[in-house]
Amino acid sequence: MTGNDIADFRPRLADLTTALGLLTRLPLPLSAFTKDQTRAPAHAAWAYPLVGLVIASLSALAGWLALSFGLPSTAATLFVLLASIASTGAMHEDGLADCADGFWGGWTRDRRLEIMKDSQIGTYGVVALVLSLGLRFVALAALIASGGYLMTLICAAAMSRAAMVAVMYALPAARPAGLSGATGRPPKHAMALALLFGVILVGWVLPMALIAVLAVTFGVALVARAKIGGQTGDVLGATQQITEITVLLTALAALQ
């Protein structure tokens, strides 16, 4: 990413469709992927928190519908998780599992990257997914039962995707030929705008979560740099999952 790329950065409405195309499996018109092909996909990173708002809204709608039909909060929680996972194609969960397998299943950088690229899931990945889904379920079920889950969902979805942009900016691509390498490094202004969206939301609703999310994001980046020397799409997915859980657990702790 050159200085000219940063200087030429301008938020555009088309960036939102680019970000939606990268981070979700929502049906988008083909034209959304054919416009402005000379613009690097990383320029759309500022819109990642807005994608989080879309996903959170769909998830909240699924939960509301479940509650409207008289289902208990635990069942509504499952529908919230289902909507979230379906809208993203479980790409972030896949990233978390791949990182768990690669980071702790390989002894060298190259071996870790090789494991992360493998489509098969290992023991570390299974454990990571079980813990991730379990923590999200417990936190969401309690928040839904309390009736105050909407803004928490929005905060968690937006801030966790802002954290992805921060890691994209801070670390080089560990696998240049991978998705993250092809997406590129976001311009400084795109990174700053993404963080601003996340900080405004979380700072307004859950200010105590800001420090926790910053610490967790920094920790994930340190581990990724130590294990593979940078970031990949899997690392970004793991970042999203871990920081989302951090926001949810912080909100749950605030209820006690």
Side-chain angles (χ1 to χ4, degrees), residues 96-116:
L96 176 66
D98 285 344
C99 280
D101 281 333
F103 284 6
W104 281 274
W107 292 100
T108 66
R109 175 185 180 276
D110 290 342
R111 179 56 182 156
R112 289 167 187 147
L113 288 171
E114 181 182 351
I115 292 173
M116 291 166 68

Side-chain angles (χ1 to χ4, degrees), residues 118-213:
D118 192 338
S119 60
Q120 294 183 337
I121 187 171
T123 302
Y124 290 116
V126 171
V127 171
L129 283 179
V130 170
L131 291 176
S132 169
L133 289 170
L135 288 171
R136 290 160 71 191
F137 178 85
V138 168
L140 283 170
L143 292 168
I144 290 175
S146 73
Y149 70 99
L150 176 58
M151 288 308 300
T152 302
L153 268 180
I154 291 174
C155 287
M159 191 66 210
S160 60
R161 286 162 179 84
M164 292 171 62
V165 182
V167 174
M168 286 174 68
Y169 181 81
L171 297 179
R175 187 187 294 118
L179 177 60
S180 182
T183 301
R185 186 188 186 202
K188 180 170 62 176
H189 294 75
M191 183 270 296
L193 188 54
L195 290 180
L196 180 62
F197 283 143
V199 168
I200 287 176
L201 279 171
V202 178
W204 174 43
V205 181
L206 290 168
M208 67 187 71
L210 279 177
I211 296 177
V213 169

Side-chain angles (χ1 to χ4, degrees), residues 81-103:
L81 288 173
L82 176 61
S84 175
I85 293 171
S87 61
T88 63
M91 66 167 58
H92 302 316
E93 287 80 4
D94 180 67
L96 176 66
D98 285 344
C99 280
D101 281 333
F103 284 6

Side-chain angles (χ1 to χ4, degrees), residues 39-62:
R39 184 173 168 86
H43 281 78
W46 69 267
Y48 284 12
L50 300 185
V51 174
L53 294 181
V54 173
I55 294 171
S57 299
L58 294 174
S59 301
L61 177 61

